[in-house]
Amino acid sequence: MFKKTAKFAELLNHYAHMVEHGYERRVGSRVCATYSDQEAIKFRHELKPLFQQRNIRSVLDYGGGGGDWREKEVPEGGTLAEFLSIEEYLVFEPSRAVDDRKKTEAIVCFDVMEHIYLGDVGFVLSDIFDLAERLVVVNVATYAANALLPNGENAHITQRHSQWWRGVLELISAAHPKVEVVLYASESYGKATRIGPWRFADLNAAKGYKR
């Protein structure tokens, strides 16, 4: 079982401070509106067939920032929730003291894991998989952020290659073999590589051992 480190609460305090007071950027400017964007909008054309093919109607946005699928409009018209045919939308955003966590058909986690301290990655991903009934979708950035933490460190504190994240997700998903997993690894803000979907149950059912 994974347990939180002391750095988990320290970082959460940093992010709560950034939400309230803004943050500095590497280029020297300052941003006042912190985590108010809805990152999932960038992936709406990827999410739509994923959800439609699996008849996903309930979603928990794990680390949802300040966005809300029921309010954020998409270029095609209507809200993101309407575009994706989502009937139940829940949010977990600890930096804003929002916690609607419960088991849902799909858990989405966009632009979160790179902000998690290395020693807490297993704890957070285990929590995500415990809440997922059928599908987990994770987007993670593999590059340095423009944002700086209040202590001056880069906000993307866990920068790892996409295959590292794939391995970590495969390891966690082994304990949840029926949950389908999709990883979007972003090499830059506007470019992401899709890995998956996979279910560990299918890997177990295949002949042989090497994967």
Side-chain angles (χ1 to χ4, degrees):
M1 176 181 290
F2 295 97
K3 296 183 179 180
K4 288 187 288 189
T5 72
K7 293 183 184 294
F8 186 93
E10 293 173 8
L11 270 170
L12 186 54
N13 287 335
H14 280 315
Y15 291 125
H17 183 275
M18 293 165 73
V19 166
E20 185 174 355
H21 301 287
Y23 60 87
E24 303 293 334
R25 301 174 77 237
R26 286 189 294 165
V27 294
S29 59
R30 183 170 183 80
V31 175
C32 295
T34 306
Y35 308 131
S36 59
D37 294 334
Q38 183 45 258
E39 296 296 322
I41 288 179
K42 294 188 301 181
F43 294 89
R44 65 190 183 279
H45 294 298
E46 294 275 357
L47 291 173
K48 190 164 188 173
L50 275 177
F51 289 174
Q52 285 182 336
Q53 292 164 13
R54 294 156 181 80
N55 196 31
I56 297 295
R57 292 292 181 264
S58 63
V59 169
L60 170 64
D61 193 355
Y62 197 103
D68 190 320
W69 291 19
R70 297 162 298 191
E71 298 174 358
K72 291 288 185 178
E73 295 189 355
V74 297
E76 292 80 3
T79 66
L80 180 60
E82 291 169 341
F83 181 80
L84 297 175
S85 300
I86 296 302
E87 298 171 359
E88 183 180 28
Y89 172 74
L90 304 172
V91 180
F92 174 53
E93 180 46 69
S95 69
R96 297 176 183 269
V98 177
D99 188 354
D100 297 327
R101 280 177 296 175
K102 73 172 188 178
K103 271 192 172 291
T104 50
E105 294 172 334
I107 311 294
V108 298
C109 181
F110 290 91
D111 190 27
V112 173
M113 294 310 305
E114 64 271 25
H115 295 275
I116 304 298
Y117 171 61
L118 178 63
D120 293 311
V121 166
F123 172 82
V124 173
L125 286 176
S126 291
D127 190 37
I128 288 172
F129 275 84
D130 284 343
L131 293 166
E133 293 178 349
R134 292 196 279 133
L135 177 66
V136 168
V137 181
V138 176
N139 164 239
V140 61
T142 63
Y143 57 92
N146 285 321
L148 300 177
L149 295 173
N151 70 349
E153 290 187 59
N154 193 274
H156 288 179
I157 57 171
T158 300
Q159 295 174 38
R160 295 294 189 274
H161 190 273
S162 60
Q163 292 303 312
W164 185 90
W165 286 107
R166 175 179 184 168
V168 171
L169 282 165
E170 285 178 337
L171 180 64
I172 302 297
S173 71
H176 305 267
K178 294 184 178 181
V179 175
E180 204 166 6
V181 188
V182 179
L183 168 64
Y184 291 97
S186 294
E187 299 88 10
S188 63
Y189 184 75
K191 181 181 179 182
T193 298
R194 172 174 160 171
I195 300 173
W198 76 83
R199 290 192 322 153
F200 220 87
D202 297 328
L203 300 181
N204 288 336
K207 293 182 179 180
Y209 306 99
K210 185 177 180 180
R211 296 290 177 265

